[in-house]
Amino acid sequence: MSKTIIYPVRVEFGDCDPAGIVFFPNFFRWYDAASRNFFHQCGVPPWRETEKTRGIIGTPVVDISSRFVRPATYGDHVEVHSTIIEWNDKTFVMRHELKRDGELLCEGRDTRVFAIRHPDDPNRIKAIAIPQDIREMCS
């Protein structure tokens, strides 16, 4: 059974469009924050530390999608429920369910990689095999 970690979000006025509903890019921002929170809650150090100790600079997104079910508006207290649903050699897939009082508002999926700076060009990144110890911490 995979871990599910909950990341709380309070919807602010600035998160909304002129109609008063959350502007869709904010859901992707919350998925991203929930992803880092997931690793933090599982005991993975901050990326600035893993870069120093292991060369890992983070888990950039290589694919993302979302399905919107119900709107959210400012003042809402919502939760992003995140879990890793698939592990591959170099990629993993996270599912994010954004809920308000248990009601599903939207669900997203993102595919990510563990990345290091490219050894031939530090302006580029390179995906690496997912470290087994991190996989175990997050399962």
Side-chain angles (χ1 to χ4, degrees):
M1 188 69 148
S2 296
K3 290 182 182 178
T4 297
I5 304 293
I6 298 173
Y7 179 71
V9 175
R10 181 185 163 138
V11 180
E12 301 294 340
F13 180 79
D15 296 324
C16 299
D17 63 16
I21 61 174
V22 172
F23 186 45
F24 77 92
N26 288 306
F27 292 100
F28 294 102
R29 182 171 55 92
W30 296 331
Y31 297 160
D32 191 59
S35 174
R36 179 58 209 142
N37 180 67
F38 180 91
F39 287 104
H40 175 75
Q41 295 300 321
C42 289
V44 177
W47 300 132
R48 65 183 164 272
E49 285 183 34
T50 61
E51 182 174 16
K52 290 176 187 171
T53 60
R54 303 170 77 162
I56 298 170
I57 60 173
T59 56
V61 172
V62 296
D63 188 39
I64 192 166
S65 64
S66 191
R67 182 176 75 90
F68 304 100
V69 179
R70 302 240 183 280
T73 189
Y74 63 91
D76 283 350
H77 293 269
V78 298
E79 298 175 327
V80 183
H81 297 242
S82 300
T83 190
I84 297 175
I85 60 171
E86 183 180 326
W87 292 102
N88 300 298
D89 292 335
K90 288 189 176 182
T91 64
F92 64 96
V93 179
M94 293 193 84
R95 180 180 65 226
H96 307 283
E97 295 179 333
L98 195 124
K99 299 178 181 183
R100 179 184 53 225
D101 299 325
E103 177 185 30
L104 182 67
L105 302 180
C106 67
E107 56 187 358
R109 287 177 185 241
D110 55 39
T111 302
R112 293 172 175 267
V113 299
F114 279 81
I116 62 171
R117 295 193 189 285
H118 195 285
D120 299 330
D121 182 355
N123 292 321
R124 295 175 49 213
I125 63 173
K126 178 182 176 182
I128 61 168
I130 296 171
Q132 186 61 35
D133 63 324
I134 292 178
R135 184 186 296 217
E136 290 170 4
M137 293 168 79
C138 298
S139 296

